[in-house]
């Protein structure tokens, strides 16, 4: 319920009563949070629904909302901190179970000498396989070349 209240597309967006238990669970200053919620509601209400290039100026998900308020730094300190927590908290145990399953397939007796860094990188690619498959190979190659100045 508290995480839902931090998503600008949901009806109870920025309602303190919906966010209070989530905020208290993570030791947020509820008084500051109340002021921040009021101000962020006003800020988002003032945004134009469309920018000149046709993209939406308003945050349309929890992730874009957290990124949006991150630009305002100290003005939305508690709200930004809770938003980052909300993005990191898994909605269900399915993602955790998928992670352990992927690690069981990656870390076999054949690959036992794999370094922790490589194991971590391969695990991310395996766990996020949908995103990995949708990523363009050319973009990856270009990013690698730019990072290594080829």
């Amino acid at each position: 319920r508290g995480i839902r209240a931090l998503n600008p597309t949901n009806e109870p967006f920025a309602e303190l009563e919906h966010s209070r238990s989530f905020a208290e669970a993570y030791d947020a200053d509820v008084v500051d949070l109340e002021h921040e919620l009021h101000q962020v509601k006003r800020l988002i209400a003032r945004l134009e629904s469309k920018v000149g290039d046709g993209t939406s100026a308003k945050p349309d998900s929890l992730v874009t909302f957290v990124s949006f308020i991150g630009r305002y730094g100290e003005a939305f300190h508690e709200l930004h901190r809770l938003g980052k927590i909300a993005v990191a908290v898994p909605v269900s145990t399915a993602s955790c179970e998928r992670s352990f399953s992927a690690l069981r397939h990656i870390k076999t007796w054949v690959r036992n000498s794999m370094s922790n860094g490589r194991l971590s990188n391969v695990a991310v690619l395996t766990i996020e396989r949908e995103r990995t498959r949708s990523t363009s190979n050319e973009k990856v190659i270009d990013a690698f070349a730019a990072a290594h100045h080829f």
Side-chain angles (χ1 to χ4, degrees):
R1 188 174 153 182
I3 294 173
R4 181 175 166 80
L6 296 178
N7 189 336
T9 60
N10 292 329
E11 186 55 39
F13 172 65
E15 295 292 332
L16 180 63
E17 291 312 310
H18 291 272
S19 304
R20 184 181 301 275
S21 61
F22 180 66
E24 289 172 350
Y26 290 99
D27 296 324
D29 185 342
V30 177
V31 174
D32 284 351
L33 181 64
E34 181 178 13
H35 297 295
E36 291 176 16
L37 288 170
H38 176 71
Q39 291 302 323
V40 81
K41 254 181 157 173
R42 293 179 66 207
L43 177 65
I44 290 180
R46 288 181 183 146
L47 289 175
E48 296 176 0
S49 61
K50 295 286 181 182
V51 180
D53 63 355
T55 59
S56 177
K58 292 183 180 183
D60 58 356
S61 69
L62 179 59
V63 175
T64 57
F65 174 69
V66 171
S67 176
F68 174 76
I69 61 172
R71 291 182 274 176
Y72 296 100
E74 294 302 315
F76 298 112
H77 175 74
E78 290 293 336
L79 192 55
H80 187 245
R81 187 176 72 82
L82 289 174
K84 290 190 298 186
I85 291 169
V87 169
V89 171
V91 176
S92 70
T93 61
S95 61
C96 298
E97 292 171 11
R98 186 171 48 241
S99 300
F100 284 114
S101 177
L103 285 174
R104 188 180 35 183
H105 291 293
I106 294 168
K107 189 76 172 180
T108 63
W109 65 273
V110 174
R111 296 186 190 133
N112 200 23
S113 64
M114 187 182 307
S115 69
N116 286 336
R118 181 171 174 85
L119 175 64
S120 176
N121 293 336
V122 171
V124 168
L125 290 172
T126 303
I127 293 164
E128 299 294 335
R129 81 181 65 126
E130 292 85 19
R131 185 178 286 175
T132 302
R133 288 182 184 144
S134 69
T135 303
S136 166
N137 288 340
E138 288 78 25
K139 286 184 180 180
V140 173
I141 292 168
D142 292 342
F144 182 83
H148 295 346
H149 307 291
F150 287 114

